[in-house]
């Protein structure tokens, strides 16, 4: 693999401050495996690693991938110790806010860009299918290399100013996270009165299930990330105040319960937002909701086979389906997904089986097409 050269014609040495964190580890693998670059790291979780300031003096490209609350202090420390030696380098950060870290990096003499991957580190080797916010604050001699990096990442790159990014994140992340954190708190306090979560699950709607999925994802993640998104972005507080006002108005209307209160709900919380979204957008969102409902039903099916297929074997899916055809097994659904370990697999919903599930599983595996990860017939 030929590594992409930097401005001086040589492959740059890349340093990652926070290389032991989730994104630090993912980015290091990407840079080494996909771009053929040498990577060094600094992390408080790795006592043997250099300090951020030491790393800054060693590398051509420096990436800050540390918690929001530490980012500015780490950048400022690197600037103080570099004493101008960072001139000619490229500094990047991966934090969920952009104004403060980008402003701090601009205090250096390096080229500067802020990056924000809008997803957790993926199981695949690129950011394909994910959005990446890009804040080009001061990029001159490193512009071609940065463009090549973004192309290699395969993300949907959105060029945006740091202030605009943070205003948007107050709604895209701050509002969404806060709403689900509040829901989790209410569920914790009230679910027992309704029979507990098993009883709620038995009576679930698509909306309830989707909300729990998002809530569960947040609660299963790193608490520090969600905490810092709320406290580290100054644009979040005004949004939370608007959320509190809206929730209080809805509560007050329900408490009053008269026709005027119902009119308030219909007008403020239904008609006016619907007009703001627009008919076409609402139709698309409604259709998307229906699709998620169908997907949920497929994934909840009681009879299925989940098969891992190597990604580098064209025609393997066709060969797999030939086994089902030969045994007279009709498919109810088929969806591709990834295991927690990142393996691509197909979850195949099955109609009533003309053969035993054990035989079907054996035929698939004996054909040497792939590996059965799970097989179930609870219908």
């Amino acid at each position: 693999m030929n590594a992409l050269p930097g401005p001086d014609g040589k492959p740059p040495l890349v340093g990652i401050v926070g290389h032991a964190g989730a994104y630090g580890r993912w980015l290091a693998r990407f840079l080494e495996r996909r771009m053929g670059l040498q990577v060094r790291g600094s992390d408080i979780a790795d006592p043997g690693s250099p300090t951020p300031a030491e790393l800054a003096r060693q590398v051509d490209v420096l990436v800050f991938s540390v918690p929001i609350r530490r980012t500015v202090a780490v950048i400022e420390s690197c600037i103080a110790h570099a004493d101008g030696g960072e001139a000619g380098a490229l500094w990047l950060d991966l934090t969920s806010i952009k104004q403060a870290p980008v402003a701090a990096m601009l205090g250096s003499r390096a080229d500067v860009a802020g990056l924000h991957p809008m997803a957790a580190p993926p199981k695949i080797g690129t950011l394909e299918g994910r959005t990446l916010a890009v804040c080009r604050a001061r990029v001159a001699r490193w512009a071609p290399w940065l463009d090549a990096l973004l192309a290699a990442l395969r993300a949907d790159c959105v060029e945006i100013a740091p202030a605009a990014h943070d205003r948007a994140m107050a709604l895209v992340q701050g509002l969404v996270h806060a709403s689900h954190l509040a829901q989790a708190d209410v569920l914790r306090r009230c679910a027992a009165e309704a029979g507990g979560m098993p009883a709620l699950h038995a009576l679930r709607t698509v909306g309830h299930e989707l909300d729990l999925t998002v809530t569960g994802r947040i609660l299963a993640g790193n608490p520090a990330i969600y905490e810092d998104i709320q406290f580290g972005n100054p644009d979040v507080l005004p949004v939370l105040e608007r959320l509190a006002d809206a929730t209080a108005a809805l509560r007050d209307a329900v408490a009053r319960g008269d026709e005027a209160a119902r009119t308030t709900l219909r007008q403020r919380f239904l008609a006016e937002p619907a007009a703001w979204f627009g008919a076409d957008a609402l139709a698309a969102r409604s259709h998307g909701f229906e699709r998620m409902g169908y997907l949920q039903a497929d994934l909840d099916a009681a009879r299925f086979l989940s098969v891992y297929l190597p990604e580098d074997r064209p025609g393997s899916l066709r060969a797999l389906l030939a086994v089902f055809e030969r045994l007279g097994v009709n498919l109810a659904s088929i969806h591709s997904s990834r295991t927690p370990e990142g393996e691509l697999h197909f979850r195949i919903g099955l109609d009533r089986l003309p053969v035993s599930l054990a035989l079907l599983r054996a035929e698939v595996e004996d054909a040497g097409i792939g590996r059965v990860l799970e097989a179930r017939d609870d219908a």
Side-chain angles (χ1 to χ4, degrees):
M1 179 186 300
N2 294 323
L4 181 73
D8 60 359
K10 302 176 182 178
L13 176 61
V14 181
I16 301 177
V17 181
H19 76 280
Y23 248 113
R25 296 193 305 271
W26 184 91
L27 183 62
R29 288 194 299 270
F30 170 82
L31 293 170
E32 291 169 344
R33 299 176 185 178
R34 296 274 177 161
M35 301 192 72
L37 296 172
Q38 183 180 356
V39 179
R40 295 180 183 174
S42 169
D43 201 295
I44 57 175
D46 182 2
S49 65
T51 67
E54 291 170 343
L55 184 65
R57 291 193 294 268
Q58 299 170 5
V59 300
D60 306 298
V61 177
L62 185 64
V63 182
F64 298 95
S65 181
V66 296
I68 292 172
R69 68 179 70 183
R70 294 183 53 228
T71 303
V72 170
V74 171
I75 293 171
E76 291 176 344
S77 174
C78 289
I79 294 173
H81 288 85
D83 195 25
E86 76 282 3
L90 172 64
W91 283 14
L92 308 169
D93 86 288
L94 298 180
T95 53
S96 298
I97 63 171
K98 292 275 74 81
Q99 289 185 87
V102 167
M105 289 190 295
L106 286 173
S108 74
R109 297 177 60 188
D111 276 16
V112 170
L115 306 177
H116 179 196
M118 302 299 299
K123 303 298 185 183
I124 59 176
T126 69
L127 293 178
E128 187 171 5
R130 279 78 172 176
T131 299
L132 178 68
V134 180
C135 302
R136 297 176 189 261
R138 184 175 64 213
V139 183
R141 67 192 302 266
W142 283 92
W145 190 89
L146 178 60
D147 289 340
L149 170 66
L150 298 179
L153 285 169
R154 299 182 184 177
D156 179 11
C157 294
V158 178
E159 303 274 350
I160 191 170
H165 169 277
D166 288 0
R167 286 193 298 270
M169 288 308 101
L171 296 169
V172 172
Q173 291 186 310
L175 175 62
V176 171
H177 297 169
S179 300
H180 285 279
L181 292 174
Q183 287 186 44
D185 182 65
V186 173
L187 282 170
R188 179 180 65 85
R189 295 170 182 270
C190 300
E193 300 172 5
M197 291 303 290
L200 297 181
H201 181 73
L203 298 170
R204 67 193 181 279
T205 63
V206 174
H208 172 78
E209 191 72 6
L210 292 178
D211 261 7
L212 281 186
T213 299
V214 177
T215 300
R217 174 69 170 181
I218 292 171
L219 297 179
N222 183 349
I225 293 176
Y226 297 99
E227 176 185 332
D228 282 355
I229 287 173
Q230 295 296 320
F231 287 90
N233 184 350
D235 291 303
V236 167
L237 181 57
V239 168
L240 295 186
E241 289 172 343
R242 293 292 183 89
L243 175 62
D245 290 344
T247 304
L250 180 59
R251 177 203 61 202
D252 292 345
V254 173
R256 292 199 311 272
D258 55 17
E259 189 55 37
R262 290 174 176 269
T263 299
T264 296
L265 186 146
R266 287 193 299 267
Q267 188 64 26
R268 176 175 175 178
F269 295 99
L270 294 171
E272 292 178 4
W276 179 79
F277 272 100
D280 290 343
L282 290 180
R285 295 290 181 184
S286 181
H287 177 60
F289 185 88
E290 290 181 359
R291 291 172 61 197
M292 294 301 294
Y294 293 133
L295 174 61
Q296 178 185 312
D298 287 346
L299 297 182
D300 285 344
R303 185 185 292 119
F304 69 91
L305 201 71
S306 178
V307 184
Y308 164 70
L309 297 180
E311 294 181 76
D312 57 352
R313 290 181 56 187
S316 57
L317 178 58
R318 183 171 62 250
L320 172 64
L321 297 180
V323 174
F324 290 87
E325 182 178 4
R326 176 166 52 82
L327 295 176
V329 177
N330 190 44
L331 308 187
S333 63
I334 180 168
H335 298 282
S336 64
S337 185
R338 291 187 181 272
T339 67
E341 293 74 32
E343 289 185 335
L344 179 69
H345 69 104
F346 290 88
R347 191 183 192 282
I348 303 170
L350 307 170
D351 279 343
R352 193 174 302 277
L353 291 173
V355 298
S356 71
L357 186 64
L359 174 61
L360 175 60
R361 177 172 188 158
E363 289 288 329
V364 169
E365 294 188 328
D366 290 347
I369 303 166
R371 183 173 76 254
V372 176
L373 301 178
E374 188 177 4
R376 186 177 301 170
D377 186 0
D378 295 335

